Amino acid sequence: MSPNREFWTSSKGFVLAMAGSAIGLGNIWRFSYIMGKYGGAAFILVYLAAIFLIGLPIMLCELSLGRASGKGPLEAMTELAPRRTTLSFLTAVALILGAAAFVFKGMYFHAGVAGFFALGALLFGWGFLGFTVTFLTPLMIAVFYSVVGGWIIIYTIVSPLGKIFRDPAASAELLGNIVTASGGKYWVTVAAASAFFLATALIVMAGVQKGIERFSKIFMPLIFILIIVIIVRVLTLPNAKEGLRFLFLPDFSKMTAEGVMAALGQAFFTLSLGSGVGIAYGSYLGRSSSLPKTAFTIVLLDTIASILAGLAIFPLLFSTGLSPEEGTSLVFKVLPIAFGKLPLSALWGTLFFFTLLLAALTSSISMLEGAVQGLMQKLYLPRGKAVLLLIIVLGPLVPLTAVSSANFANVPKLGQFFTETLKLRSESFFAILDNTTCLWLMPLAGLMTLLFVSYVWGNKKALEEMNCFNAFDWLFSKIWLFVVRFVSPVLVILAFLKGLGIFF
Ligand code: TRP
């Protein structure tokens, strides 16, 4: 372990920071619109299965990898085990077969991506998984996340005026200008997204403890309280029951193959998995805390946050006659109405958007942290320069994503390139980033992490890292041992096969 590594000041600080990474826009904005789109209760069941049977085991893998290596994801994958093994070779073979299947289906872009990963796995073995989870995935997410973060900045700024809560026309106008970037004023969105991205970078520049812990400790509890206030209000509205029915009475006929993949992707996104966060944060963790308890706490908090967000949003959505399939703008349509129904709406609204902004920041800093750690170690850069490099490389992508958040209308040439030349079906640049990371990169990296821990590094070693203190930890770890070997990988593979329309 290098001498100048920072440590979390306490195990509680670590839990809060991990929870800070997990709880963010994913729980409120993304969970609501994805769950709405794929049919409510049935989606939630698949999602919960994915959280507890796939997400939680993977989080434990990541935390123990991080703590064992004491370094970031880049090193963890290459230093704990031989760089190239039979399994990394088999992975390359599987990817080549996948690429061939894509060529056969005429999906040349997908074929290219699979081919790229196959080559990486052949040349760099497990190092390629490290590269993906350190740089590729989290940085792509950081770009589109900044766009949503920018929307939240704008909502925080206009909330004190209260107009969007009182006047539906004002709310609709703001939504058009900002979220769908369809009005003439999309420069506001560009500025806000860039501001969010820069703010994230500056906090990361300030360093782990000062930057991350302080924020998380103060503000995370507030978001729970605010959501509960909304729930109490909206549950008494007419037709609120319809929303509860949507959330809790499953209709499996709506559960398509796409929905299953979406649930899996949301599980990865909301727990910040398959993108190096657990490994990077785990590497800062001292020896004294028990991992099973820590991981369980984080997953539970995150799941409660999502379910509460659903309870706050869907009863109102149904009582106002909106459709659950509103897409990315769903919460921005519903929340202003919710606050409009509370006394002192401007106050509640401002507090809510401000806290959400902080929750979004504690998440977005975790996307950059692993990459910064990687750049510092590989290129021997000081922290400040590493962050600067990220700003220069990623910076231009943020405005581009902001103006093509709902469609390609503002950038038609780019749209033509993606939809006609590359034959991608995503409706916006934003959706391309979102789909590539959540539906492909994270689940694949998660699967590879499971296989790496079970069959390459060895899950006995992972178990030693976990520090089981009591009967709960012990029982939990025994179950984990079985689940990471036989249950989680099989489920991820089945979800992929279903998503690709193969077999069933
Ligand atoms: N989990 C966060 C949320 O729900 C988003 C997030 C933070 C994330 N870090 C990540 C998602 C890394 C994927 C990968 O808002």
Side-chain angles (χ1 to χ4, degrees), residues 18-31 133 137-139 141-142 144-145 265-278 281 302 306 359-360 362-368 437-438 442:
M18 272 300 283
S21 165
I23 298 174
L25 299 171
N27 303 73
I28 292 163
W29 158 76
R30 199 172 188 280
F31 177 73
V133 301
T137 313
L139 296 182
I141 294 173
F144 76 82
Y145 207 80
Q266 175 62 17
F268 276 92
F269 187 86
T270 194
L271 296 177
S272 315
L273 294 175
S275 48
V277 176
Y281 280 23
D302 185 84
S306 292
T362 54
S363 299
S364 61
I365 45 190
S366 75
M367 297 167 200
L368 299 192
T437 49
C438 294
M442 287 194 276

Side-chain angles (χ1 to χ4, degrees), residues 359-381:
L361 279 171
T362 54
S363 299
S364 61
I365 45 190
S366 75
M367 297 167 200
L368 299 192
E369 179 60 32
V372 168
Q373 209 182 31
L375 288 175
M376 286 164 68
Q377 281 161 7
K378 282 287 148 193
L379 305 179
Y380 305 103
L381 290 175

Side-chain angles (χ1 to χ4, degrees), residues 61-106:
C61 289
E62 294 190 355
L63 292 179
S64 43
L65 278 171
R67 184 150 78 177
S69 76
K71 291 178 179 169
L74 210 50
E75 274 81 3
M77 303 293 184
T78 49
E79 289 184 6
L80 291 174
R83 194 175 266 272
R84 276 193 218 80
T85 64
T86 320
L87 195 59
S88 71
F89 179 73
L90 287 178
T91 306
V93 173
L95 283 165
I96 291 170
L97 290 177
F102 281 131
V103 171
F104 193 65
K105 282 192 160 188

Side-chain angles (χ1 to χ4, degrees), residues 73-341:
L74 210 50
E75 274 81 3
M77 303 293 184
T78 49
E79 289 184 6
L80 291 174
R83 194 175 266 272
R84 276 193 218 80
T85 64
T86 320
L87 195 59
S88 71
F89 179 73
L90 287 178
T91 306
V93 173
L95 283 165
I96 291 170
L97 290 177
F102 281 131
V103 171
F104 193 65
K105 282 192 160 188
M107 297 161 77
Y108 299 114
F109 179 77
H110 289 72
V113 175
F116 172 74
F117 278 94
L119 194 66
L122 276 182
L123 292 177
F124 302 105
W126 293 100
F128 203 68
L129 178 60
F131 169 79
T132 309
V133 301
T134 308
F135 298 112
L136 207 57
T137 313
L139 296 182
M140 282 171 80
I141 294 173
V143 171
F144 76 82
Y145 207 80
S146 295
V147 174
V148 189
W151 300 341
I152 306 289
I153 293 184
I154 296 169
Y155 274 81
T156 311
I157 294 176
V158 302
S159 288
L161 303 173
K163 195 156 172 240
I164 53 164
F165 308 127
R166 287 190 305 267
D167 175 4
S171 168
E173 192 193 338
L174 185 70
L175 190 91
N177 273 327
I178 306 304
V179 178
T180 53
S182 54
K185 294 197 191 133
Y186 55 70
W187 62 269
V188 184
T189 318
V190 168
S194 309
F196 183 89
F197 178 69
L198 283 178
T200 305
L202 290 180
I203 298 171
V204 173
M205 218 181 248
V208 179
Q209 292 168 334
K210 276 182 283 163
I212 305 176
E213 264 186 52
R214 197 185 298 158
F215 268 116
S216 319
K217 264 187 200 153
I218 309 171
F219 285 100
M220 287 321 289
L222 190 57
I223 198 126
F224 282 85
I225 298 172
L226 288 169
I227 295 177
I228 291 171
V229 169
I230 308 177
I231 295 177
V232 170
R233 177 67 188 92
V234 299
L235 282 185
T236 56
L237 292 172
N239 220 10
K241 268 206 209 87
E242 197 55 41
L244 294 181
R245 213 168 285 141
F246 182 77
L247 287 174
F248 297 114
L249 279 186
D251 171 3
F252 284 101
S253 67
K254 287 202 193 137
M255 214 46 223
T256 56
E258 220 180 285
V260 171
M261 278 312 287
L264 184 65
Q266 175 62 17
F268 276 92
F269 187 86
T270 194
L271 296 177
S272 315
L273 294 175
S275 48
V277 176
I279 306 181
Y281 280 23
S283 77
Y284 296 124
L285 186 62
R287 298 269 139 193
S288 63
S289 33
S290 119
L291 294 183
K293 195 174 133 236
T294 309
F296 196 71
T297 313
I298 296 159
V299 170
L300 207 61
L301 282 176
D302 185 84
T303 306
I304 293 174
S306 292
I307 301 293
L308 286 179
L311 277 172
I313 287 161
F314 283 84
L316 181 63
L317 183 117
F318 280 90
S319 111
T320 46
L322 284 166
S323 147
E325 291 172 37
E326 298 287 338
T328 50
S329 56
L330 187 137
V331 293
F332 297 96
K333 283 195 177 146
V334 176
L335 285 170
I337 309 176
F339 294 121
K341 295 198 181 297

